[in-house]
Amino acid sequence: NSSVSGSFAFSQWAGGAMQGDSAYSQLTGQLDNTRYYQFTVSPLLGIGMDLTGLNFSVDRSSTGPRTFAVRSSNDNYATNLAANVIPTNAALNVQSSNVLYFTRDTTGAVNGATFTYNFPDLTGPVTFRIYAWNSEDPAGYFAVDSVVVKGLFGVIENTQNYMEYSYCTHMFTDGQA
């Protein structure tokens, strides 16, 4: 039951902003640990992965949340991940190095929400939560789209090479004939 047809956009986020607030110092809300978007990244076939960041585009209605952050299961959702805006976008700004906020009453997709971290040698899944708060009105929505997870993921090499080459002439490794 998305607030916007064809989009991942929901309302009922925590309040704390007045209509048109554009300075972070005017926002009085708190992150609500019970309201978030969540997704899990799992390694394939038991092959490890090194995760280093994620980015996505965001959207809000004119009365939707003005701030958002990302946390992970890596520390049981205790701290926000480091935030950046890449590429630079005047509609988003970083506060306290780990919270992004909308500097304008912007509506429409805004690119550049980037969160960085270093999760090396993961052999099990990691879950990310995107929290939003400082909504101007409970009916205001916050949307997330085009999520990209960055890092090195296990490579499955030579899938055809299982020591039976009668049908396959192109999967030999150096020294094999």
Side-chain angles (χ1 to χ4, degrees):
N1 295 324
S2 177
S3 298
V4 178
S5 179
S7 180
F8 195 69
F10 294 90
S11 58
Q12 303 305 312
W13 298 94
M18 299 300 291
Q19 179 64 31
D21 282 348
S22 60
Y24 186 78
S25 62
Q26 296 171 319
L27 308 177
T28 61
Q30 300 278 332
L31 182 146
D32 179 347
N33 287 323
T34 66
R35 298 193 179 277
Y36 50 83
Y37 295 140
Q38 177 174 294
F39 64 94
T40 301
V41 179
S42 299
L44 292 175
L45 302 173
I47 298 172
M49 59 185 176
D50 298 330
L51 301 181
T52 57
L54 61 98
N55 63 355
F56 49 88
S57 63
V58 291
D59 187 7
R60 68 182 285 273
S61 65
S62 63
T63 60
R66 297 198 68 94
T67 53
F68 60 99
V70 176
R71 294 181 176 185
S72 80
S73 61
N74 215 37
D75 69 351
N76 200 29
Y77 313 105
T79 59
N80 298 342
L81 301 177
N84 297 292
V85 181
I86 303 172
T88 301
N89 188 323
L92 292 176
N93 201 330
V94 179
Q95 285 297 311
S96 305
S97 76
N98 60 12
V99 172
L100 287 178
Y101 84 100
F102 289 92
T103 58
R104 304 177 182 160
D105 264 342
T106 301
T107 58
V110 176
N111 295 317
T114 302
F115 295 85
T116 57
Y117 46 85
N118 183 26
F119 298 162
D121 304 320
L122 293 171
T123 57
V126 62
T127 299
F128 295 93
R129 290 181 177 171
I130 303 171
Y131 298 87
W133 68 100
N134 280 315
S135 180
E136 296 174 5
D137 184 293
Y141 70 79
F142 175 73
V144 174
D145 198 4
S146 304
V147 177
V148 175
V149 178
K150 297 179 180 185
L152 297 173
F153 302 86
V155 176
I156 302 172
E157 297 177 339
N158 250 359
T159 58
Q160 293 178 327
N161 188 351
Y162 60 96
M163 303 305 289
E164 200 288 286
Y165 304 108
S166 61
Y167 70 94
C168 180
T169 60
H170 65 280
M171 287 304 297
F172 292 96
T173 56
D174 288 340
Q176 289 182 321

